Amino acid sequence: MKRRVIAVVLCLSMVLGLISGCGKKNTKDETVTKEKQETKTETETSDMEESAFVEPSIENVESLERPSIGSNIENSLYEENIVPSVPEYSVDISFSNVINAEDCVLGEYVADAYREKLAKNLFVVGESSGFEFWEQYEFNAYSQTPNFVTVDSLMHTYHLYFAHLLKTIEKASLSDAVKTISSTMFNKSMEQYDEFKGTEWEEAAVRNVAYFAVACELSGVDISVPDFAIDTVNSELDHIMSANGIELSNIIPDTMEDYSQYKPRGYYEGDEQLEKYFRTMMWYGRITFIAGNDSATRSAVLMSIALKESAISEWESVYAVTSFFAGASDDLGYCEYMPVIEAAYGGKLDKDSLVGNESAWGILEEKISEMDPPRIQSIPVYEDEENVIPGFRLMGQRFTIDGNIMQNLIYRAVDENAEGNKRMLPMVLDVPAALGSDVAKEIALENGAKEYPDYETNLNRLREDINSSSDSLWNASLYSGWINTLRPLLVEKGDGYPSFMKNSEWTKKTLETFAGSFAELKHDTVLYSKQPMAEMGGGDLDPVDDRGYVEPEPLVYARFSNLAKTTSEGLKKFGMLSSDDEKNLGLLVELSDKLLVIAQKELKNELPSDEEFELIRNYGGNIEHFWYDAMKDDAGKDSFTSEEFPAAIIVDVATDPNGLVLEAGTGSPRTIAVVVPVDGILRIAMGSVYDYYEFEWPLSNRLTDNEWRRMVGAESGLGFLYEKDDSIVNPDWTTSYREEKWHWEW
C-alpha cells in the first residue's frame, strides 16, 4: 500500500534560548497536549520553555558582547495603572454633531453603506490609500483632514527598517561569511575523505564533500567537484534551482526534501547576491543528518570536527547576528553534538580514535538518542513514521512561538474530523487565539477548527502555558519582541476607552492589524524561521480645526520604543550599525515615546499640547522619512516614488506537503475613518491600516512579492498599473467593517 506523505509545519524564527554560540538547549515542555501524550507516541509538545541568552562556551570563538532584548517595559514614560476616562459618545446617520462631516462623509457620491457603518461602529475601513502608509497622512495634511495615527502605520514602519537593517548586514557581512564557511568546510571535507577512505567513515566523508560542494555552488564559490560526488551535487542543484516541490534527496538516504522552499522570496528576490545567500542558508538550515542513521550521524561527527578545527569563528558570527534578529535554532547542531562527541571519544578526534571504536560509537549513539528532538517538524514524513525527526543541522532554522502554536493545532497534534479530513494547514488567527484573543478563537472555531478533536483542548493548554510564562519568553530576540509588541492589541477594550474601540467590529479590526504586521514579520524572516508542516497523508485653505488623534494603545507604543531601542543597541554592540541607521532608530524611539504620552493623555481625557497636535499633524512626513531612508539603497537614486516600492508583501507561513502552502500577505494600505473626540468635540480623523489576505496556494509556486503585487494591482510595468485579480479577496471575518467610500453613478 502506497504511503501518503503528510504535511510538516515549518515554524518561523524566534530566539528562545541562545543568541549566539553554544549553551544549554531548551528542553521539552510537555504540558501542552499532555493528555494526548499519554495515548500517543508522536511528539506533540509545546516546548515553550522560558530561557535567556547564554554566553557561548566554544573554544577559539572570538568573544562578543552579547546584546539583550531587555524587559517588556523599560520606559519611564509608561503609566501602568491608567484608568481610562473618555466619556461615551455616539452619532446618528446625519452626523450633525461631527464638525467635519460635510467634508468627509456627506457628499452626494459617498456610499450610504459607508456612512451607515461609520455611524454605527464609529469607524469604517474604506478604499486604498495609495501604495504606502504615509500617503494618506500627506493627503490629510494638504486637505486639512485630522490624522488618525494607527498602530498599523507604526508597525509597518518598523518592518521597513527591520528588513533594511537585516538585508544590509546580509549583503555587507553575512553572505561573505557563509561563502567562507562553504569554501573552508569543502576543503576540510576533502581532507577528511582522503583520511577516512577505505574505512567505515568513507561514506560519511563522501556525503560531506557533496553537501559542501552544493553549498559552494549555491553561494558562488569556485570549486572543482570530485568525480565521486558530481552526480549527487548535480541532482541536488537541479532540484534546488527548479524548486518544484517535495522530492527524494540524494544527500541523506531515504529522506524527502521540500525543494520549493529554495525559491527566493521576500526581499531576497531579484538580488543576485541575496538570492545566492538565501539558497545557501536554506540548504544549511534544512538538510538534516538524521539521528539513528549510522552513516548520517558519522557525517555529523566529521562535520562538527571540521567546523571546530577550521570555521567555528565564521559560523559563530553568522549564527549570533541572525539569532539576535530571528531566534535560536530549533534543531540539534554543533552546540549539542560536539560536547558528546568529545566525551565519547575522550577528546581525541583523529582517525585512530574514530575508526573501529565501537565502544565510543555506542556511547555517542546513546547520548544523541537522549537529546531533545526539534519542536517544529520541517521534514516531510509519512503517516506511519515519527512526527518529529531529530538530527544534526549546520545552521538550523529557528524556533518561534507562532510556529509552535501552529504545530500544535494541525495534524497530527489534532486528529482528523468525522469525515476523515485532516487539518493540514493552520489559520493565522490560531496565533492570536493562543495568545488570548477570544474573538480570534471564535472565528477559528466557526471556520471549521471545532470539527477537529483536540483543537480546542490544545489551544486552551497553549493559552495556559503562555499566560504562565515569564518575560524571558518575549525577550529572546527581535522577532519575539515584535510579537510581544502586538499582544496588547488582543485585549478587548471596555469602559472609559473611546467609543469606537468598544465594539466587536473594532476587536476584529485589531486582529487584522495583528495579522498584517505578523505577515510582515514572517516576510522579513522567511529564510530563518521554521515553518510548521503537517504530516503528509496643503495650500491656501481656510484654517480649520484639524487636530487629530492617536490610536490609544500606550502599551504597544511602550513596547515598540523598547524594541526599536534594543535593535539599535544590539546591532551597535555587534559593530553592524551605521551612524545614519543609529540616528534613525533613535528618531523612531523618540516618535513612539511621544505617541505613548499622547495616547495616555487621550485615555485620561486630557488634552494634548499644541506641540503634540503638531506631531500628529506632521505624522505623514515623519514616517515617509523612514520609508525613504529604508528604500534609498535599493532605489539607487535620490528621487523615487511609492509606486516603485509599494507596501504590499506576501509570504508562505505553513506547508501541507500534499501540495499546498498557507500564504499570508498585505495589499496596498487602506483608509480608515474614525469618529474621535478632541477637546469635547467630535470629528472624523483619517489614517492608514493593513489590507490583509490569507489563502491556500500551490506548494510548487510559492509566491514572491513581485508576483503578488501584480495580483493585487500594486505593481506597475511598461507604463501601466496591473489590475487587481478579482479572485483575491480578504478573509470573510474582515468584511463586516469594510466598505468602499465612493458610489459613482454613470
Side-chain angles (χ1 to χ4, degrees):
M1 180 176 176
K2 185 177 181 180
R3 296 183 296 177
R4 195 167 75 83
V5 180
I6 303 187
V8 186
V9 189
L10 272 163
C11 157
L12 289 179
S13 44
M14 154 179 174
V15 172
L16 281 181
L18 314 175
I19 187 171
S20 62
C22 294
K24 185 180 182 296
K25 186 179 175 66
N26 295 329
T27 57
K28 298 193 296 287
D29 178 352
E30 299 180 354
T31 55
V32 178
T33 68
K34 184 182 295 182
E35 294 174 0
K36 289 183 68 64
Q37 301 257 356
E38 295 174 355
T39 58
K40 290 194 170 188
T41 59
E42 293 87 2
T43 301
E44 294 171 357
T45 57
S46 73
D47 291 321
M48 292 178 297
E49 188 91 8
E50 61 189 62
S51 56
F53 295 126
V54 180
E55 291 294 329
S57 59
I58 313 175
E59 295 178 3
N60 303 320
V61 175
E62 181 179 357
S63 176
L64 293 174
E65 183 182 4
R66 268 73 183 180
S68 170
I69 302 299
S71 64
N72 280 345
I73 298 300
E74 289 183 349
N75 194 314
S76 60
L77 299 174
Y78 179 69
E79 301 176 30
E80 198 163 354
N81 299 309
I82 287 179
V83 178
S85 307
V86 181
E88 190 82 20
Y89 60 91
S90 62
V91 299
D92 58 36
I93 195 63
S94 70
F95 291 92
S96 57
N97 59 336
V98 179
I99 62 171
N100 59 344
E102 188 72 34
D103 296 327
C104 293
V105 294
L106 296 183
E108 63 177 307
Y109 296 116
V110 177
D112 289 342
Y114 183 89
R115 280 195 294 263
E116 290 167 1
K117 286 190 176 180
L118 181 58
K120 178 183 178 182
N121 301 322
L122 300 175
F123 82 96
V124 61
V125 173
E127 70 285 355
S128 170
S129 62
F131 293 98
E132 254 295 344
F133 279 74
W134 52 264
E135 292 182 278
Q136 178 65 45
Y137 296 104
E138 292 291 78
F139 176 80
N140 291 347
Y142 291 121
S143 62
Q144 294 184 306
T145 300
N147 276 336
F148 182 73
V149 175
T150 62
V151 169
D152 307 52
S153 61
L154 190 65
M155 293 307 301
H156 173 72
T157 300
Y158 183 73
H159 142 70
L160 293 176
Y161 231 78
F162 181 99
H164 159 70
L165 292 167
L166 184 52
K167 177 168 56 176
T168 298
I169 291 168
E170 287 168 336
K171 295 188 72 169
S173 177
L174 300 188
S175 62
D176 284 341
V178 168
K179 289 175 70 174
T180 299
I181 292 170
S182 302
S183 176
T184 303
M185 291 294 284
F186 172 76
N187 292 331
K188 189 67 176 178
S189 297
M190 286 291 293
E191 292 177 11
Q192 288 179 331
Y193 167 74
D194 291 336
E195 183 179 4
F196 290 97
K197 187 162 51 176
T199 74
E200 74 270 25
W201 293 79
E202 179 179 350
E203 181 181 338
V206 168
R207 180 180 297 109
N208 286 3
V209 169
Y211 175 78
F212 287 109
V214 170
C216 286
E217 295 287 352
L218 292 175
S219 60
V221 176
D222 186 18
I223 62 168
S224 177
V225 181
D227 291 342
F228 63 79
I230 195 68
D231 290 343
T232 298
V233 172
N234 287 341
S235 174
E236 292 297 320
L237 291 173
D238 286 344
H239 289 331
I240 289 169
M241 300 310 292
S242 61
N244 286 331
I246 297 172
E247 301 181 69
L248 191 65
S249 170
N250 288 325
I251 284 287
I252 307 298
D254 300 321
T255 59
M256 308 290 285
E257 171 62 347
D258 182 4
Y259 292 97
S260 68
Q261 293 279 1
Y262 295 84
K263 181 180 180 180
R265 313 184 295 289
Y267 60 73
Y268 299 93
E269 174 197 9
D271 185 300
E272 183 179 2
Q273 181 185 2
L274 287 177
E275 286 193 350
K276 290 178 178 179
Y277 174 78
F278 179 93
R279 291 191 178 99
T280 309
M281 283 292 285
M282 190 66 75
W283 178 254
Y284 285 153
R286 286 191 51 81
I287 297 299
T288 305
F289 297 82
I290 298 171
N293 180 301
D294 286 355
S295 181
T297 299
R298 286 192 178 97
S299 285
V301 171
L302 292 178
M303 195 176 298
S304 297
I305 295 170
L307 188 63
K308 179 178 181 178
E309 292 178 351
S310 61
I312 191 60
S313 159
E314 290 80 8
W315 180 89
E316 142 75 23
S317 67
V318 174
Y319 185 75
V321 179
T322 56
S323 294
F324 176 67
F325 276 98
S329 172
D330 185 44
D331 300 286
L332 302 172
Y334 175 85
C335 296
E336 291 73 39
Y337 270 55
M338 198 65 214
V340 298
I341 293 170
E342 292 179 323
Y345 288 94
K348 295 186 65 178
L349 301 176
D350 55 16
K351 179 181 177 180
D352 291 340
S353 299
L354 296 178
V355 174
N357 193 340
E358 295 300 323
S359 174
W361 180 256
I363 295 172
L364 177 63
E365 283 192 308
E366 181 180 357
K367 292 296 184 182
I368 292 175
S369 70
E370 294 171 355
M371 293 179 180
D372 293 327
R375 291 147 291 186
I376 299 161
Q377 173 65 343
S378 59
I379 304 173
V381 298
Y382 295 105
E383 191 165 4
D384 57 354
E385 297 176 330
E386 288 294 323
N387 185 30
V388 180
I389 299 178
F392 176 97
R393 292 187 180 187
L394 186 72
M395 191 81 69
Q397 291 182 308
R398 315 311 166 84
F399 173 85
T400 60
I401 190 169
D402 53 274
N404 190 58
I405 288 168
M406 291 178 179
Q407 185 79 73
N408 278 281
L409 297 176
I410 59 172
Y411 187 76
R412 229 180 300 175
V414 298
D415 286 330
E416 59 189 33
N417 64 15
E419 287 74 42
N421 297 319
K422 300 176 176 67
R423 194 173 196 254
M424 305 301 290
L425 289 171
M427 293 178 65
V428 166
L429 285 192
D430 289 343
V431 178
L435 294 179
S437 170
D438 289 335
V439 173
K441 176 181 176 180
E442 181 181 342
I443 293 171
L445 292 172
E446 290 175 351
N447 279 267
K450 64 183 176 183
E451 301 174 7
Y452 298 96
D454 299 307
Y455 174 88
E456 195 164 4
T457 299
N458 286 3
L459 180 63
N460 290 337
R461 289 188 182 280
L462 283 162
R463 283 183 166 197
E464 291 172 7
D465 277 1
I466 293 169
N467 287 337
S468 63
S469 66
S470 72
D471 287 352
S472 61
L473 179 68
W474 307 107
N475 298 336
S477 66
L478 297 181
Y479 184 107
S480 54
W482 187 329
I483 294 285
N484 193 41
T485 300
L486 295 172
R487 288 173 65 210
L489 297 175
L490 307 180
V491 178
E492 295 186 40
K493 307 306 188 287
D495 293 342
Y497 277 86
S499 297
F500 69 85
M501 301 180 79
K502 297 190 294 183
N503 59 69
S504 60
E505 296 304 319
W506 183 262
T507 303
K508 289 194 291 185
K509 198 288 299 177
T510 57
L511 284 178
E512 186 168 12
T513 300
F514 184 100
S517 184
F518 176 79
E520 291 182 330
L521 169 61
K522 301 304 273 180
H523 171 274
D524 297 345
T525 58
V526 65
L527 173 59
Y528 303 104
S529 57
K530 209 178 187 185
Q531 269 178 33
M533 188 185 252
E535 298 179 37
M536 288 167 90
D540 299 321
L541 300 176
D542 294 332
V544 298
D545 183 359
D546 65 344
R547 289 176 294 178
Y549 209 77
V550 171
E551 184 176 348
E553 290 279 5
L555 185 52
V556 171
Y557 304 127
R559 291 182 178 177
F560 184 98
S561 175
N562 187 50
L563 183 63
K565 185 185 302 181
T566 300
T567 305
S568 178
E569 293 174 351
L571 293 180
K572 189 174 182 180
K573 287 178 180 178
F574 280 125
M576 292 185 172
L577 188 68
S578 71
S579 58
D580 286 345
D581 288 335
E582 182 181 4
K583 178 181 178 181
N584 277 332
L585 287 168
L587 291 173
L588 205 51
V589 171
E590 182 181 338
L591 175 61
S592 55
D593 283 346
K594 290 178 178 179
L595 296 179
L596 163 62
V597 172
I598 296 171
Q600 291 176 153
K601 284 185 176 182
E602 290 171 342
L603 287 181
K604 292 185 291 185
N605 201 34
E606 298 175 358
L607 190 67
S609 67
D610 290 343
E611 182 181 3
E612 288 166 334
F613 278 123
E614 191 65 18
L615 174 72
I616 298 172
R617 191 175 286 115
N618 295 324
Y619 180 70
N622 284 327
I623 62 174
E624 182 185 8
H625 162 79
F626 295 114
W627 168 82
Y628 178 87
D629 275 14
M631 297 297 154
K632 63 183 180 182
D633 288 344
D634 287 342
K637 53 186 178 181
D638 293 334
S639 179
F640 49 92
T641 67
S642 62
E643 190 172 328
E644 297 175 81
F645 297 95
I649 55 92
I650 193 73
V651 63
D652 45 278
V653 300
T655 300
D656 171 0
N658 296 300
L660 294 172
V661 295
L662 181 66
E663 297 277 4
T666 62
S668 296
R670 285 180 175 262
T671 60
I672 186 171
V674 188
V675 178
V676 299
V678 176
D679 200 12
I681 301 171
L682 297 183
R683 78 275 320 281
I684 296 169
M686 306 286 291
S688 294
V689 293
Y690 288 112
D691 185 32
Y692 178 70
Y693 298 86
E694 178 180 327
F695 52 92
E696 296 178 0
W697 193 255
L699 175 150
S700 60
N701 185 30
R702 296 175 189 260
L703 289 171
T704 66
D705 287 346
N706 285 335
E707 292 167 340
W708 170 244
R709 288 166 180 166
R710 294 183 188 121
M711 294 168 66
V712 294
E715 180 90 350
S716 60
L718 302 176
F720 65 91
L721 190 66
Y722 286 88
E723 292 186 9
K724 182 178 179 179
D725 183 341
D726 292 337
S727 67
I728 305 298
V729 295
N730 302 103
D732 288 344
W733 56 270
T734 70
T735 59
S736 57
Y737 51 83
R738 272 181 162 76
E739 197 66 52
E740 292 292 328
K741 179 176 184 178
W742 305 110
H743 170 67
W744 303 105
E745 296 182 0
W746 302 100

